[in-house]
Amino acid sequence: MSKNDPLMTYKRALYHGCGFSNEDLKRPNIAIANSFNDINPGHIHLHELAKEVKSGILEAGGLPMEFNTIAICDGIANSGNNSKYVLPSRDIIAMSLEATVQSHGFDGLVCICSCDKIIPGMIMGAIRCNLPTIFLTGGVMDPAEIPGIGTKVTSDIKEAIGEWKAGKIDDLTLERIENETCCTPGACNMMGTACTMASIVEAMGLSLPNCAMTPAISDDRKEIAKQTGSRILELVREKITIKQILNEKALENGVRLGLAVGGSSNMVLHMVAIAYELEIPFSHDNFDPLSRSTPLIAKFKPASNLNLKDYYLAGGIPATLKELLPLLHKNVITASGKSIEQIAESARNKNSDVIHTLSNPISTHGGLAVLKGTLAPEGSIVKESAVNPKMLKHSGPAKVFESEEAVKDALMNDKVKPGDVLVIRYEGPKGSPGMREMSIPAAILVGMGLGDSVAMITDGRYSGASRGPCIGHVCPEAYDCGPIALVENGDIIEINIPNRILNLVVDEKILDERKLKWKRPNLKYNRGILSLYPKLVSSAKYGAVLKLKNEE
């Protein structure tokens, strides 16, 4: 900012009201977008990390200028209508970052964030600004060692509800799991969406090496934060913007990493939305060929007994990149100044039982699968790596529910039987609206011991913590009169995950008759974001992004 430009007088004067001097304002102005708040364990410590980032910026000759964005906790919001706001918050975050950064005219951007919708929302907003940008994800909550019970992480809490319902644990055990599992700040300590997206950010080169898996409360995390502050000044001076780092090759590297570690099915929504911001043609159809050609080389709670501290101690993302290097675009640049190849070559896999080699994978293909058929002609998503082998192929009678609440009531009142296929509809981006996640019903199902005999299908989504035969993102959604809207109780549904099939076994003429009788339900809201969202949101196939026209 020029000290002598009279047209900048008013801007400088207002900044003086913030305590910035003329000498301060001569420095590169570095925005710090921070999702700190007091109501989310993944974010409550981020104000302390921001202090380290600011220290790094100041020492490197910049001026840190911090502002905040919202940050909803999926787990806390996962109750009734509350969770309808979670996916739309991704776009609110993107817009708030875009509006603040663009209106103030910063020179560089540091994004401090954790959790499911906040990380992709900040990426989407940062792409629109296209400044030199670096991310600092907030790190991982420690696993809890509960005497007499064992090691527990956040996904175990939801499954404990089902275990309690089935009589497998008593009231006191459930209470102890509730009270003792979340033992530090940080992102949920399983391979849910939060840690999947943090891992992908690192694999795409937007954060420094080891950023994703380093514990939230540690000296190493503070040091990464300070280095992040220092590095943004180098990116500003080198004029390296986010779009120079985040291109189609980097996007593919991130997807492969997510698939290789059994990442959350929500990454499909977010990576497709990020590609949309980059104007790269991409839909959930792109995931299946990538998954078929990316071996699964690591998996963690809830899909295995390993937790993310095990992953960190084994070498984390750099060690995984080392094993995956033959499949990656090696020479893409990263915010660290090193190529992916350089990061991988300097890493060490400290435990090949945690991070397998390509020659000894857990599975020859990645964690996600895209299923299509007469029930999902435009596709659906399942986390194959978390499905019991007995349920990879399954046929059974449909039990239809018009909402998440209805299926939860059925589970808690013993109305679900082995062999059933639970169909939860009108939970898509438009129909819900907001595409609620069915994570609690899915966890109750597994906790009750039904994960090897009952499937669950929805046009909504699941948590990254979900496991079992849970198929989401069914497209077209029920609100758009996709076949899921026409299912009736007792219809046979065929699931064949190895062959990527999801079929409704009903004669086409009968479906045509049902379609003639079908009526689109009225939108559920006439005020606020949930009234606007279904009018603008795209299909889940295209990332549930906001468009003036759904040109799909």
Side-chain angles (χ1 to χ4, degrees), residues 335-349:
S336 70
K338 298 178 180 178
S339 69
I340 289 293
E341 184 172 31
Q342 289 171 323
I343 292 169
E345 286 180 345
S346 63
R348 184 166 71 89
N349 183 352

Side-chain angles (χ1 to χ4, degrees), residues 1 3 12 16 19-29 61-63:
M1 185 182 302
K3 180 180 179 181
R12 289 192 300 269
H16 294 333
F20 300 129
S21 69
N22 281 329
E23 288 304 309
D24 289 334
L25 295 172
K26 290 178 182 177
R27 298 179 173 202
N29 292 184
L63 176 64

Side-chain angles (χ1 to χ4, degrees), residues 101-117:
V101 172
Q102 296 286 58
S103 61
H104 277 248
F106 295 106
D107 299 302
L109 173 63
V110 178
C111 294
I112 305 177
C113 50
S114 288
C115 296
D116 303 29
K117 311 305 172 290

Side-chain angles (χ1 to χ4, degrees), residues 190-378:
M190 39 76 181
M191 194 52 83
T193 310
C195 288
T196 297
M197 292 311 300
S199 300
I200 287 172
V201 163
E202 186 175 328
M204 292 192 301
L206 291 179
S207 62
L208 295 180
N210 291 306
C211 187
M213 288 298 121
T214 298
I217 305 302
S218 64
D219 289 340
D220 286 343
R221 170 66 48 189
K222 291 180 180 179
E223 181 58 30
I224 290 171
K226 188 169 183 179
Q227 291 174 6
T228 298
S230 175
R231 180 61 192 160
I232 188 59
L233 269 297
E234 295 176 47
L235 292 171
V236 169
R237 288 165 185 145
E238 295 166 10
K239 298 181 179 179
I240 298 174
T241 68
I242 188 171
K243 285 188 178 181
Q244 291 171 271
I245 295 170
L246 193 54
N247 54 31
E248 190 166 3
K249 291 180 178 180
L251 198 76
E252 186 175 305
N253 284 347
V255 170
R256 284 198 187 274
L257 185 283
L259 293 168
V261 299
S264 164
S265 57
N266 282 319
M267 72 167 158
V268 177
L269 287 174
H270 300 324
M271 296 306 283
V272 173
I274 290 165
Y276 173 75
E277 296 294 340
L278 292 168
E279 300 182 79
I280 296 171
F282 210 64
S283 77
H284 67 198
D285 288 339
N286 294 78
F287 276 78
D288 208 61
L290 287 171
S291 192
R292 287 182 182 275
S293 61
T294 306
L296 182 73
I297 62 170
K299 65 177 182 177
F300 305 95
K301 276 184 171 276
S304 81
N305 291 324
L306 296 170
N307 63 64
L308 294 184
K309 188 169 185 180
D310 299 320
Y311 190 27
Y312 169 66
L313 294 173
I317 304 304
T320 310
L321 295 175
K322 186 181 187 72
E323 300 298 347
L324 288 176
L325 196 59
L327 303 178
L328 301 177
H329 298 285
K330 304 179 180 67
N331 297 319
V332 294
I333 63 169
T334 73
S336 70
K338 298 178 180 178
S339 69
I340 289 293
E341 184 172 31
Q342 289 171 323
I343 292 169
E345 286 180 345
S346 63
R348 184 166 71 89
N349 183 352
K350 302 171 187 175
N351 190 338
S352 59
D353 291 329
V354 176
I355 305 171
H356 291 234
T357 63
L358 286 180
S359 61
N360 183 35
I362 299 168
S363 170
T364 56
H365 50 272
L368 300 180
V370 179
L371 312 185
K372 290 188 175 183
T374 54
L375 184 56
E378 293 183 5

Side-chain angles (χ1 to χ4, degrees), residues 412-488:
M412 297 304 285
N413 289 292
D414 300 317
K415 294 180 180 178
V416 174
K417 299 176 182 178
D420 286 344
V421 178
L422 311 182
V423 177
I424 310 101
R425 62 190 177 197
Y426 295 104
E427 291 292 3
K430 299 172 188 174
S432 185
M435 203 179 183
R436 288 195 286 183
E437 68 174 37
M438 307 294 115
S439 66
I440 289 181
I444 292 172
L445 184 81
V446 171
M448 290 175 67
L450 296 172
D452 63 353
S453 62
V454 175
M456 186 180 288
I457 298 171
T458 182
D459 52 5
R461 58 189 179 86
Y462 293 99
S463 164
S466 298
R467 62 181 173 124
C470 298
I471 301 166
H473 306 212
V474 170
C475 296
E477 63 171 288
Y479 184 82
D480 286 335
C481 198
I484 192 171
L486 308 177
V487 181
E488 295 185 358

